[in-house]
Amino acid sequence: MTGFAARQGGGLGHDWAWEIRSVNGKGFDLRPRLPDVEGLEAAVRAAVAAVAARGNISLTLRLSRSEGAEGLRLSEPGLQAALTALARVEAAAGERGLALAPTRAADLLALRGVIEQGAPEVADPAALRAALVADLAPLLDDFAAMRAAEGAQIGAVIAAQIDRIAALTEAAAEAAEARRPETAAALQAALSHVLETAPGADPQRVAQELAMLAVKADVTEEVDRLRAHVRAARALLAEAGPVGRKLDFLTQEFVRESNTLCSKSGSTALTAIGLDLKAVIDQMREQIQNVE
């Protein structure tokens, strides 16, 4: 889900600069920082949601007036204040019999507040919004391309981890099969010991209890479910759409089966395989946090 892109543009008397970046997240969280342009945020959210389904995404737009658009502007309030003051001065001079030279327009324009430096307001905010949204499209293309490139690399890592889990699952199946004679011998010895030390014990009842213990220690179901999870994970990696949340859930199932396998192992070899499984699954879970 990690990605970054930046782009600059301009038009309609403005310059702008886009920047977007994302990091891993459980859901889709877009945090835009945009200038006050009517309708822009809604259009931006829709455009980003079309290319990203997961991740914490920050998007910033810096908007400024173009240097070529800056110019002089007549301030109506400043002009009116200057004319009012001029009228009062001329009236006061007339009362005292003083004659003033005619006031020229240049004199008025030289007064502070009559002329302002700046650009006029945008005549058509909708046109500016359309220009900004149009320039957003190539930015999102670059952003999506970077995320896709990183996703392909992470996908290769996860695929290798799934292969390792599959190999360990088969090793667990072989270890479980290899321990069957040992388990049977241990149960037989336990049965003989109970019958020898407890003459009044019912042999059939004792055998049933030992058989139940043998069933509880069997890991065939865990191995079968691990195989099924491996097939499901490979199928998800082959899909074209967002699969991060599904893989995240599937990893929890991997963890559950590996924990049960370790708790039922009953042998050093099987326990070692179970611990290796847990380590690989934990590594895979960390990688999946970066998958959309």
Side-chain angles (χ1 to χ4, degrees), residues 5-18:
R7 180 178 176 83
Q8 295 182 343
L12 301 176
H14 290 77
D15 293 322
W16 58 75
W18 290 101

Side-chain angles (χ1 to χ4, degrees), residues 171-172 175-176 265-276:
S265 65
S267 71
T268 303
L270 194 53
T271 298
I273 294 171
L275 292 175
D276 287 343

Side-chain angles (χ1 to χ4, degrees), residues 129-146:
R129 181 182 67 247
L132 291 171
V133 172
D135 198 55
L136 176 63
L139 175 86
L140 295 181
D141 288 342
D142 294 341
F143 175 67
M146 181 176 179

Side-chain angles (χ1 to χ4, degrees), residues 146-189:
M146 181 176 179
R147 282 164 57 99
E150 188 202 26
Q153 296 177 1
I154 294 176
V157 173
I158 294 175
Q161 291 169 336
I162 293 173
D163 290 342
R164 177 62 177 157
I165 292 172
L168 288 171
T169 299
E170 296 309 315
E174 293 175 3
E177 186 63 29
R179 76 170 184 168
R180 287 186 185 278
E182 180 182 345
T183 302
L187 291 174
Q188 186 62 44

Side-chain angles (χ1 to χ4, degrees), residues 14 31 34 63 84 96 128 170 190 208 237 240 252 279 285:
H14 290 77
R31 300 175 184 179
L34 306 172
L63 184 67
T84 300
R96 298 193 179 191
L128 177 60
E170 296 309 315
Q208 288 176 348
L237 282 183
Q252 298 176 30
R285 179 168 53 183

